Amino acid sequence: MEVPAAVYEEMIRHARSAVPAEACGLLAAGPDGKATRAYCLTNLDASPVAYTVDPSEHIGALHDAEGHGWHLAAVFHSHPAGPPVPSATDVAKALEPAWLYVIIGLAPADRPSVRGFRIVDGVVTEEPIAVEAA
Amino acid sequence: MPTIRIPTLLRPAVGGVARVEAEGATIGEVLAGAAALHPEFGDLVFESDGSLKRFLAVFLGGRDVRHLRGLDTPVPPGAEIIILPAAAGGAR
């Protein structure tokens, strides 16, 4: 997925602001599949090891994205103390086969890393995140 | 007739379509109407006691029906109902 630098930085900013809890949000994309906006949303779990996007904010993001002619293409969350790879929980709870599952690893804190994965029927396939310069 | 927007997860249960129309005056009736046409959809949406699966949120007019009257929430004719699966996970 192509992600503009501003959108990429917004995800990392949100992830850092939630430490020690996980942060989460949704990514909109245009018809070309390129990310257009990061919706930084509330983690109802407020936990360092779990996230649930607030459904009321999820529907708001959906309406906003569709109002711009976009669609929701990805969900992102952070692993504040672990690597940016899907956990067993991430795989088990991946219910949207059309989405890219983006994970932001914050360890080490000064070098965050962001990776994307398709998770379909329990099968995980990495898809590169290409950061587009501003 | 109300329309239900079907998330990708549930589309195989309704023949692959993104929207289903079903009769009903409440959320529960409309979902049950769709389940009568597509039994697998009913299995995925309803618990055995008839309640809504916990990992699904159902919206009417942009509001989560759990914050309205749940499955008894009245549905105006022609309304759009949106089903969203939970976006969830975590490091452990």
Side-chain angles (χ1 to χ4, degrees), chain A residues 51-124:
Chain A
Y51 79 94
T52 300
V53 172
D54 184 332
S56 297
E57 296 180 9
H58 183 162
I59 193 77
L62 176 70
H63 285 144
D64 184 81
E66 292 182 346
H68 286 85
W70 306 330
H71 62 281
L72 295 180
V75 59
F76 67 89
H77 75 282
S78 60
H79 287 177
V85 294
S87 68
T89 302
D90 288 329
V91 175
K93 292 189 172 181
L95 298 178
E96 182 47 80
W99 279 355
L100 189 68
Y101 286 80
V102 176
I103 305 176
I104 303 155
L106 292 176
D110 61 334
R111 279 188 289 120
S113 54
V114 181
R115 295 170 69 182
F117 305 87
R118 298 281 171 194
I119 306 175
V120 180
D121 295 332
V123 177
V124 178

Side-chain angles (χ1 to χ4, degrees), chain B residues 49-71:
Chain B
D49 65 0
S51 62
L52 195 62
K53 295 272 191 183
R54 288 191 62 192
F55 67 89
L56 296 176
V58 176
F59 294 87
L60 177 69
R63 297 189 65 190
D64 188 334
V65 301
R66 287 191 170 101
H67 300 150
L68 299 171
R69 290 169 56 188
L71 293 175

